[in-house]
Amino acid sequence: MPSQVARITMSLLIGWMALTLGGSASALVIDWTFVGSPGNPCDGQPQGCFGSVAYPYTIGTYEVTNSQYAEFLNAVADTDTFGLYSAPDDLAGVTRSGSSGSYSYSTIAGRSDMPVVLVSFYSALRFANWLHNGQPTGAQGGTTTEDGAYTLTQQGIDDNSIVRNPGAVFAVTNEDEWYKAAYYAAATTSYFDYPAGSDTTTTCASPTATPNRANCDQPDFADAGSYTGSASPYGTFDQGGNVFERNESIINGSNRGVRGGDILHSASRLVASDRGSAPPDGEYSNVGFRVVPEPAVRDVFVILGMLGIGYLEKRRAVTG
């Protein structure tokens, strides 16, 4: 837990963000992990060399959860113009009620802290835009979901050409940011093969504190951070297992990158050499995403990271 000084520092930062980004102090909670050692070497794999990041940064400690995504939907999807919600299946965690113009969203009992799925790459970008714009409430459009960190146009979607805008505040992880946080060990300036800090194949198991375990080849998702002994070297959780996670990389022209394995496959999909991809408009029951803060707030988070404060809390008056 952060110290009282840390809490005060974060409170000041919250106020600064609300004023700067036009958002409200009543917002979702996101946990961040600091990733230092800028300019680290990349890790050679058959598909290329990955993981070199020139700047210090922070990354979501966990995958975006159902409760976080439901807050986003309740803010911008009274009328779900761009299809941010997909009809649930057995692995989904968000449900919708009402009719267009008055939709409301809630999490399914017992699934609030599981990773959100059935989210296309473009819906993930819209979530990042919403964060970038200060978590506003209103119809889906240029000031809420369609511009900010990314400019979404029909032509860009058709061409699969949308990229992160300069000055983005929050974004979906790029592949190198994701890879470094999962596999890189700053102490030895080298990479592990698996994202729980090991070169030994991760064991698929139910939630446990035993090291080098992950939620793979299992019947259902686990709550974020349930594998308490299996953090990455930097301290992120679930970069191996639970769900594949989207990243910004354009692969073979028509797809976007996914990494990290999921509950439907064996531990072989968790290894650093496994580079997957999926159509960006697809909504899959085993694919989620993770976010990073970018230049406009990164330097502040870097300072917090150096002070040992790994996350920012934007909290309601009552927050668990």
Side-chain angles (χ1 to χ4, degrees):
M1 294 294 292
S3 67
Q4 183 64 28
V5 172
R7 288 187 181 280
I8 293 170
T9 302
M10 287 188 286
S11 295
L12 292 173
L13 179 57
I14 291 164
W16 172 82
M17 288 186 68
L19 289 172
T20 302
L21 304 179
S24 167
S26 296
L28 58 80
V29 173
I30 298 176
D31 292 352
W32 303 111
T33 292
F34 176 69
V35 181
S37 302
N40 60 295
C42 63
D43 189 29
Q45 297 291 355
Q47 313 94 337
C49 203
F50 306 103
S52 179
V53 181
Y55 43 84
Y57 64 103
T58 55
I59 187 170
T61 304
Y62 312 107
E63 298 146 337
V64 173
T65 65
N66 288 314
S67 62
Q68 292 169 336
Y69 198 77
E71 288 202 47
F72 165 56
L73 292 174
N74 280 318
V76 302
D78 287 354
T79 301
D80 193 9
T81 308
F82 295 106
L84 305 181
Y85 175 80
S86 180
D89 64 11
D90 291 343
L91 292 173
V94 180
T95 187
R96 181 167 74 184
S97 59
S99 56
S100 183
S102 59
Y103 286 138
S104 63
Y105 303 85
S106 59
T107 55
I108 295 170
R111 306 187 75 81
S112 293
D113 294 328
M114 293 179 179
V116 68
V117 293
L118 299 171
V119 175
S120 73
F121 178 70
Y122 300 117
S123 292
L125 299 190
R126 289 175 166 118
F127 180 88
N129 277 347
W130 178 68
L131 293 177
H132 170 101
N133 290 322
Q135 302 182 31
T137 298
Q140 296 165 26
T143 61
T144 56
T145 63
E146 301 309 292
D147 208 354
Y150 306 88
T151 301
L152 281 92
T153 65
Q154 190 57 54
Q155 189 63 56
I157 291 171
D158 291 344
D159 296 342
N160 191 27
S161 61
I162 295 170
V163 296
R164 188 184 301 184
N165 288 331
V169 178
F170 293 93
V172 174
T173 56
N174 69 37
E175 190 167 16
D176 289 323
E177 291 165 343
W178 193 98
Y179 192 102
K180 179 177 179 177
Y183 301 113
Y184 187 65
T188 58
T189 64
S190 61
Y191 289 84
F192 287 108
D193 288 335
Y194 291 87
S198 178
D199 290 324
T200 302
T201 303
T202 299
T203 298
C204 298
S206 57
T208 177
T210 304
N212 200 27
R213 300 295 189 269
N215 195 24
C216 48
D217 197 19
Q218 296 292 304
D220 200 359
F221 302 131
D223 287 353
S226 292
Y227 293 78
T228 55
S230 299
S232 74
Y234 279 108
T236 60
F237 288 88
D238 307 316
Q239 288 198 261
N242 241 8
V243 295
F244 282 106
E245 297 179 30
R246 292 188 178 275
N247 63 67
E248 294 178 328
S249 287
I250 298 172
I251 298 177
N252 297 327
S254 59
N255 286 351
R256 296 282 180 155
V258 298
R259 280 190 176 271
D262 70 330
I263 61 171
L264 303 179
H265 294 87
S266 71
S268 64
R269 300 304 304 270
L270 281 59
V271 70
S273 59
D274 187 278
R275 188 192 196 210
S277 66
D281 56 355
E283 298 173 334
Y284 304 100
S285 60
N286 62 335
V287 178
F289 68 104
R290 192 177 299 246
V291 292
V292 293
E294 277 301 297
V297 293
R298 187 177 66 215
D299 292 342
V300 180
F301 284 145
V302 167
I303 293 170
L304 295 179
M306 291 174 177
L307 293 173
I309 304 168
Y311 61 88
L312 162 68
E313 292 183 318
K314 294 186 71 182
R315 57 172 63 202
R316 293 188 177 91
V318 178
T319 299

